[in-house]
Amino acid sequence: MPTFAPTSFNTVCWVLGGFVTLFGLVSYLFKEKLYLSEALISLLAGVTFSPYGLNFIDPLNYAQGSIANLNAITLNFSRLVLGVQLVLTGVQLPSRYLKAEWKSLLVLLGPIMTCMWLFSSVAIWAMVPNLSFLHALAVGACVTPTDPVLSSGIVKGKFADKNVPKGLQKIIIAESGANDGLGYPFLFLALYIIKYTGEGNLGQTKGTQEAMRLWFGETWVYVILLSVVYGTAIGWIARELLHWTEEKNFVDRESFLVFAIALAVFTVGGCGFIGSDDLLACFIAGNVFTWDDWFRLKTLDDSLQPTVDMLLNLSIFMWFGAICPWPKFLNNDIIPIHRLIVLGVLILLLRRLPAVFALRKFIHQIEEKRQAVFMGFFGPIGVGAIFYLYTALDFLDGVTDQNGLQRADVVVLAEAMTIVIWFLTICSIIVHGISIPLGKIGFHLPRALSQAFDSTRNSESRPFCVLEWIEPEVEGRSKWRQIFGLSTPRSYSTLASASTSPSYYIEGSVIPGNGSESTPLNGSTSPTTLPAMPYGTIRLE
């Protein structure tokens, strides 16, 4: 018997499928004509269908009403999307790119990334009331990495092909892939110190020593170095196996094209088993996998990988729009909304731009100051920040007092991290999502207004005078002939036209230089009244 079954699964399929279908119908218009990012559009769609809008999607209901389950879903969803994106990022880079451009990457991942962390932390510490600087360092670490998902939207497409040099595109892609995995040391330096120097712990000196031991031993050795080794091994083995099977004709075209995506999923799962840095491992695996450029060139014209990547990106930003704690931005005990807005402006302007601009001479891909401004401004905050947020929240759940309850200072820190990081992520998605169209409007609007003003100013007919030297036909004195007329400018040509000068048509009469009676140009014998003051004079000899 037919029944109406609006189950959660049916609703999610209906909403997600309908949005992707409708967006696909106008995707070229939005992305290549209006230059709007798919992340921004997906975020707005998620808000529309969320409990704050039409209430078609209820993420908390899917998590069985548990905030912990909802956080775990978001964390793992972010891991999956970032893992696929980072492997594809590594695949897109040319052969041996990390080896060839290690100097530029060292500057970006060393002093510039450190400055991003410190600048962000100082701004957060200054704007969030009653937040210690140590806690601000933990919050700032989450928004330090540039997001590879949003960065790919900036350096791909028609706008990037026309306005961003290829070398600059590659270094932005490489930086966003590498620094996303290198956010762990910044985050866990602050978290370990918070955990072991807080109330009821080892004390200031012993607690700091224990925090440093764990930071060097676990974070740098087990998390960072092990992920590099793991990613290198996985990428090399996968490349050799695919080479061998392709030579033997054991692999079909479909399996060949999906290989990189399967490699990403496998790497994420493997790093999850051993508790290492899956983001860095995925980027290293993708780069080693295409170290000889063979796979990249083989799939250069393939659309399967970008298609899967697009579906994941649309899904994750719809999810973000649905789960974002929008009401907390206005109603919370941590920071008022006006301070949040000022903080968003400070982070967008000071988090990255000053450091990149100051060290631009050490990055040879930056050839001009405006390229430094572009690279400094477009360091978006996105999926990576949300990943580190929920990684930090998971760690803070285990920071307890002597009674087994979460410490009071950690509870406040978790709330501050949730509000600030979500707000900064939303700010970045919106601002970076509309920056290119607003920039193009700002570039073309003054020119359009100038043309409109000139067209209006020249729309009225103006008198002018032409002086032509007349030689006598037989004998007599030479004389000047004055031709008076009215200028009638025609419409301006397009920018591609070689000339923007108006055309003029003579509607006056010819007057001999000896002051005899005038003869109209149209052949009439009736006199024509001439203007007393001609607007301009053209002399013909």
Side-chain angles (χ1 to χ4, degrees):
M1 180 178 179
T3 57
F4 181 69
T7 62
S8 299
F9 178 77
N10 292 337
T11 304
V12 170
C13 291
W14 179 68
V15 171
L16 180 60
F19 168 71
V20 175
T21 301
L22 294 177
F23 176 72
L25 296 175
V26 292
S27 57
Y28 184 82
L29 171 65
F30 279 111
K31 294 195 294 185
E32 303 296 342
K33 295 294 185 180
L34 302 178
Y35 300 107
L36 294 173
S37 70
E38 60 188 24
L40 175 60
I41 299 171
S42 303
L43 180 76
L44 297 177
V47 179
T48 303
F49 296 121
S50 72
Y52 309 111
L54 300 178
N55 199 23
F56 287 161
I57 300 177
D58 188 1
L60 190 60
N61 182 40
Y62 308 151
Q64 300 178 347
S66 171
I67 296 295
N69 291 342
L70 183 63
N71 292 350
I73 293 172
T74 305
L75 175 61
N76 290 318
F77 194 6
S78 301
R79 285 180 59 211
L80 176 63
V81 173
L82 287 171
V84 173
Q85 180 68 52
L86 289 170
V87 167
L88 296 183
T89 297
V91 168
Q92 293 169 10
L93 295 175
S95 173
R96 296 171 172 82
Y97 187 84
L98 297 184
K99 181 180 180 181
E101 302 297 341
W102 68 270
K103 292 182 180 180
S104 298
L105 285 172
L106 186 63
V107 175
L108 289 166
L109 301 177
I112 289 182
M113 193 171 179
T114 303
C115 289
M116 291 168 61
W117 175 45
L118 295 177
F119 289 170
S120 300
S121 301
V122 169
I124 293 168
W125 176 60
M127 297 309 301
V128 180
N130 304 318
L131 187 72
S132 68
F133 186 68
L134 181 58
H135 288 186
L137 288 174
V139 182
C142 295
V143 297
T144 296
T146 56
D147 187 63
V149 179
L150 295 177
S151 295
S152 65
I154 296 170
V155 296
K156 292 180 182 178
K158 188 170 67 173
F159 174 83
D161 294 338
K162 288 183 177 181
N163 299 280
V164 184
K166 291 295 182 181
L168 197 61
Q169 293 182 27
K170 298 300 182 184
I171 196 65
I172 292 176
I173 291 174
E175 182 208 7
S176 66
N179 74 3
D180 223 47
L182 291 175
Y184 273 96
F186 299 101
L187 176 61
F188 277 90
L189 175 62
L191 291 182
Y192 281 141
I193 295 176
I194 291 171
K195 179 177 181 179
Y196 290 102
T197 60
E199 56 181 285
N201 278 288
L202 301 177
Q204 192 70 27
T205 303
K206 291 185 178 180
T208 302
Q209 292 175 351
E210 180 67 12
M212 292 298 100
R213 184 187 68 82
L214 292 173
W215 186 62
F216 281 108
E218 290 191 4
T219 303
W220 278 106
V221 176
Y222 191 81
V223 176
I224 300 298
L225 294 182
L226 180 60
S227 67
V228 173
V229 173
Y230 180 80
T232 302
I234 292 297
W236 182 82
I237 294 173
R239 185 184 72 219
E240 295 301 319
L241 286 176
L242 189 61
H243 265 295
W244 184 77
T245 55
E246 203 271 341
E247 289 175 358
K248 299 293 184 180
N249 290 325
F250 289 167
V251 58
D252 60 10
R253 182 62 179 171
E254 292 77 11
S255 300
F256 185 86
L257 295 178
V258 81
F259 197 86
I261 297 173
L263 179 65
V265 177
F266 176 80
T267 306
V268 169
C271 282
F273 279 135
I274 63 177
S276 189
D277 185 353
D278 40 11
L279 304 187
L280 186 58
C282 284
F283 176 69
I284 297 297
N287 200 271
V288 173
F289 180 60
T290 55
W291 194 253
D292 57 359
D293 238 11
W294 173 71
F295 184 81
R296 185 180 72 89
L297 296 176
K298 281 273 190 177
T299 59
L300 197 60
D301 298 325
D302 167 56
S303 59
L304 175 63
Q305 295 174 13
T307 301
V308 174
D309 184 42
M310 182 202 71
L311 289 174
L312 289 175
N313 293 345
L314 293 178
S315 303
I316 190 71
F317 285 104
M318 278 193 71
W319 180 257
F320 284 175
I323 69 168
C324 178
W326 300 98
K328 287 188 176 182
F329 297 155
L330 292 174
N331 303 305
N332 65 81
D333 297 327
I334 304 297
I335 178 173
I337 183 61
H338 66 276
R339 281 179 170 264
L340 265 179
I341 295 173
V342 174
L343 176 61
V345 174
L346 291 176
I347 291 294
L348 293 176
L349 294 180
L350 301 180
R351 161 178 164 266
R352 175 178 170 86
L353 180 56
V356 173
F357 192 83
L359 298 175
R360 67 187 184 278
K361 294 183 180 180
F362 299 97
I363 306 171
H364 70 86
Q365 289 86 354
I366 301 177
E367 299 174 352
E368 303 174 3
K369 291 183 178 180
R370 62 176 182 175
Q371 294 179 0
V373 173
F374 173 82
M375 187 175 182
F377 178 73
F378 283 103
I381 303 169
V383 183
I386 302 302
F387 167 81
Y388 281 114
L389 165 63
Y390 287 102
T391 299
L393 294 180
D394 182 63
F395 178 88
L396 293 176
D397 285 340
V399 181
T400 58
D401 57 17
Q402 297 176 350
N403 298 321
L405 301 176
Q406 193 174 26
R407 280 179 11 204
D409 62 319
V410 171
V411 173
V412 175
L413 173 59
E415 184 72 6
M417 293 184 77
T418 302
I419 296 170
V420 172
I421 294 171
W422 266 113
F423 184 82
L424 295 178
T425 302
I426 298 301
C427 284
S428 180
I429 294 173
I430 295 175
V431 172
H432 290 119
I434 63 175
S435 291
I436 293 178
L438 288 181
K440 293 187 73 67
I441 291 174
F443 177 78
H444 290 294
L445 186 59
R447 181 181 298 180
L449 292 176
S450 177
Q451 291 179 357
F453 178 76
D454 290 342
S455 176
T456 304
R457 185 182 62 186
N458 295 324
S459 61
E460 298 179 356
S461 298
R462 295 175 178 177
F464 68 93
C465 174
V466 178
L467 297 180
E468 183 179 6
W469 183 254
I470 306 297
E471 296 289 343
E473 294 183 0
V474 182
E475 289 184 1
R477 298 175 58 187
S478 300
K479 57 188 177 182
W480 288 100
R481 180 173 63 174
Q482 296 181 349
I483 305 175
F484 287 92
L486 294 175
S487 66
T488 307
R490 295 297 186 253
S491 61
Y492 284 97
S493 60
T494 60
L495 293 176
S497 175
S499 174
T500 58
S501 302
S503 302
Y504 293 92
Y505 296 86
I506 299 175
E507 298 173 351
S509 58
V510 179
I511 302 178
N514 58 6
S516 62
E517 185 179 357
S518 63
T519 304
L521 288 176
N522 57 12
S524 171
T525 58
S526 61
T528 303
T529 303
L530 301 176
M533 293 293 294
Y535 177 77
T537 300
I538 305 174
R539 179 170 179 170
L540 303 176
E541 297 190 34

